[in-house]
Amino acid sequence: MTRKVSQFTFLIACLLVSGLIFIFVSNQLEAKKSQTRPKKASVQVLPQVSVIPTKVGNYQPVIEAFGSAEPKYSLTLEAQNSGQITNLAKEFEAGKKVKAGELLAIIADTSYQASVATQEYAVTSAVVALKEELRSAEQALDEWNASGLSGQPSSDLVLREPQIAEAKAALLDAKASLKEAEQNLEDTRIKAPFNGLVVSREIVPGSYVQAGTEIGTIYNTDRMDIKIALSAKDWAKLPSIETMQKERWPVTLTDVETQAKWQAYVLSADSHRDSSTRLRTLVIAVDNPLQQTPALYAGSFVKASLKGISMGKLWQLPSTAFSQKSQVWYLNQENRLAAFSADPVFSANGQVYITPPTDLQADEQRVLIRPYNSYLEGMKVKSNLDASQPQENSRKLLAQKSGSQENSANPSQALNVKGDN
């Protein structure tokens, strides 16, 4: 019996201990739950944007346009008379240069020489006929005076006035015919009308040509012209045509295929706009194009670049700063995003030039290099210039600290500094 009581007592004790342990653990868990955990401080992370400092300045726009190089003159030579080609000059070959007045070909001229001789005879005969009429008129006047009649003859035939007029007209006609015959004879000798380059030759020795037959093509080598069409906006960026002509306004030509370059100048401009394109033509010239290095050939397709007048109060920005919505984004004094719409005044070499609003022209502004469509006006941001400021300050502090350490290591030098102060 006593043994059973002991076992029961031991069991009760175990239960009491277990209950106490359970109560203790429960109290500890409740205490932990009741403890207030410290809240983490919320940190606002601002988006960073890349900006460049920008202020207004004066810039000279560059106007670019394309055109084809064409010779000053281009002429298709045609025969003025009929006949057989009896001689060709060695220089009358495609690709060769010829000088003004240089003989290129000769047409058989026997019949034309005969015509000149005939007209010379006709002129001589007309001179003799006129002299005879003048002599006859003198005799008639003497006879009229000797007759004792007063006044003038009833007919001008008496003093042979109509006959003299006829003889003079015949002489003029004979001289004109002689001049025409001489010109026809001269036209049998085909000459270069100007300094040029032979493009093609259509005749050979023995060819029979008629008046109007094509002989060849030649173009002038003294000057090459390039015509470019410019809009009204482009013309507004240039000085007056009178100024450009007077100063031989410089133009740079670049071959589209080979990238070769030539220096040219403004020659003239059309005084009207094309009715369909509304563009006005500017004529650019290059002197002695075949003597340039490299030579500028007719038909070359080139890009013409010329500077305009200086324009003020403009921002120079990378092309990426101009958004797809034609806006320019910048940071205000509170580091908040702002934007305005603008039209580029001109662009060149990956840069755009715009006129900023009046209130942004006085001070330097921070313009976003690459704005995104997700940006909203008034958004608080951090710029790359702000991010680099602490680094700059750190560099200054390190420099100052390094200087202090050097002074401590060298007391005499530190004393000298104090003495200077």
Side-chain angles (χ1 to χ4, degrees):
M1 182 68 180
T2 302
R3 186 178 180 181
K4 292 183 178 179
V5 171
S6 299
Q7 291 178 349
F8 179 76
T9 302
F10 178 76
L11 179 62
I12 294 297
C14 290
L15 291 175
L16 289 173
V17 172
S18 299
L20 291 173
I21 294 174
F22 177 76
I23 294 172
F24 176 77
V25 173
S26 298
N27 290 336
Q28 291 296 323
L29 293 175
E30 289 295 332
K32 288 184 178 181
K33 290 182 179 179
S34 61
Q35 291 179 354
T36 57
R37 296 182 180 178
K39 296 183 178 178
K40 293 183 180 179
S42 60
V43 178
Q44 184 181 5
V45 179
L46 298 178
Q48 182 172 333
V49 296
S50 297
V51 300
I52 55 172
T54 304
K55 59 183 179 180
V56 295
N58 297 332
Y59 299 97
Q60 198 170 11
V62 176
I63 294 89
E64 296 182 344
F66 295 87
S68 179
E70 300 296 338
K72 177 183 178 181
Y73 305 126
S74 181
L75 179 65
T76 298
L77 297 174
E78 295 180 351
Q80 302 299 311
N81 295 314
S82 300
Q84 190 176 39
I85 300 298
T86 59
N87 190 17
L88 281 179
K90 294 181 179 179
E91 290 74 17
F92 193 26
E93 296 287 346
K96 289 190 175 183
K97 298 178 183 178
V98 293
K99 296 182 179 180
E102 186 174 350
L103 184 63
L104 302 179
I106 298 177
I107 299 176
D109 59 358
T110 303
S111 60
Y112 298 100
Q113 289 181 359
S115 178
V116 169
T118 300
Q119 296 305 321
E120 288 176 344
Y121 174 77
V123 169
T124 302
S125 300
V127 169
V128 172
L130 177 59
K131 289 181 177 181
E132 290 178 349
E133 288 298 332
L134 291 174
R135 181 58 183 165
S136 298
E138 290 178 358
Q139 292 177 355
L141 180 60
D142 291 341
E143 292 175 357
W144 175 262
N145 293 332
S147 66
L149 299 175
S150 60
Q152 295 293 328
S154 58
S155 174
D156 55 2
L157 292 173
V158 175
L159 298 180
R160 306 191 68 81
E161 293 178 0
Q163 292 88 332
I164 293 175
E166 180 182 13
K168 289 181 177 180
L171 177 59
L172 292 175
D173 180 69
K175 288 182 177 181
S177 297
L178 174 60
K179 188 175 182 179
E180 181 181 6
E182 290 175 342
Q183 184 61 53
N184 289 336
L185 178 61
E186 180 65 21
D187 289 340
T188 61
R189 303 174 65 83
I190 303 171
K191 300 178 181 180
F194 44 71
N195 295 334
L197 180 73
V198 178
V199 179
S200 64
R201 175 177 55 78
E202 308 298 336
I203 57 174
V204 296
S207 300
Y208 186 86
V209 296
Q210 295 181 339
T213 299
E214 182 176 333
I215 293 176
T217 302
I218 183 175
Y219 72 69
N220 179 262
T221 57
D222 292 339
R223 194 182 77 203
M224 198 71 71
D225 295 343
I226 300 93
K227 295 182 178 181
I228 58 175
L230 302 178
S231 65
K233 288 185 178 181
D234 289 334
W235 279 102
K237 302 170 190 173
L238 294 172
S240 65
I241 184 61
E242 292 78 13
T243 300
M244 290 192 289
Q245 287 177 323
K246 182 179 179 180
E247 300 181 5
R248 288 172 67 94
W249 201 259
V251 182
T252 300
L253 302 178
T254 305
D255 191 285
V256 174
E257 295 182 0
T258 65
Q259 302 304 310
K261 294 183 181 296
W262 301 273
Q263 291 303 313
Y265 61 91
V266 172
L267 179 67
S268 62
D270 288 348
S271 298
H272 65 278
R273 293 180 182 175
D274 187 273
S275 58
S276 57
T277 63
R278 302 300 177 186
L279 301 179
R280 184 180 170 201
T281 300
L282 181 69
V283 182
I284 298 166
V286 177
D287 293 330
N288 302 315
L290 298 183
Q291 298 178 14
Q292 302 291 326
T293 305
L296 175 59
Y297 298 109
S300 299
F301 191 64
V302 297
K303 179 180 72 174
S305 303
L306 64 159
K307 293 183 177 180
I309 56 178
S310 180
M311 308 180 73
K313 296 183 178 180
L314 297 179
W315 277 358
Q316 179 185 8
L317 302 173
S319 57
T320 56
F322 200 67
S323 71
Q324 295 179 352
K325 297 180 180 179
S326 301
Q327 288 183 319
V328 176
W329 288 77
Y330 66 98
L331 295 185
N332 59 20
Q333 295 179 352
E334 300 175 354
N335 270 12
R336 295 186 181 276
L337 293 177
F340 62 88
S341 298
D343 291 327
V345 178
F346 66 94
S347 60
N349 300 323
Q351 303 289 316
V352 293
Y353 300 81
I354 66 168
T355 302
T358 306
D359 58 342
L360 299 179
Q361 295 181 5
D363 302 322
E364 185 177 80
Q365 304 295 331
R366 295 169 296 169
V367 179
L368 273 66
I369 297 177
R370 192 180 299 276
Y372 294 103
N373 294 331
S374 59
Y375 288 163
L376 298 175
E377 291 197 50
M379 178 187 295
K380 185 78 172 180
V381 296
K382 180 173 63 174
S383 73
N384 59 322
L385 298 181
D386 298 333
S388 62
Q389 192 65 31
Q391 298 177 2
E392 183 67 23
N393 294 336
S394 299
R395 285 194 294 269
K396 291 181 179 179
L397 290 173
L398 288 174
Q400 293 176 357
K401 184 177 180 181
S402 175
S404 299
Q405 292 176 352
E406 290 178 359
N407 291 336
S408 299
N410 191 348
S412 61
Q413 186 176 8
L415 289 174
N416 288 335
V417 172
K418 290 182 181 180
D420 293 340
N421 291 336

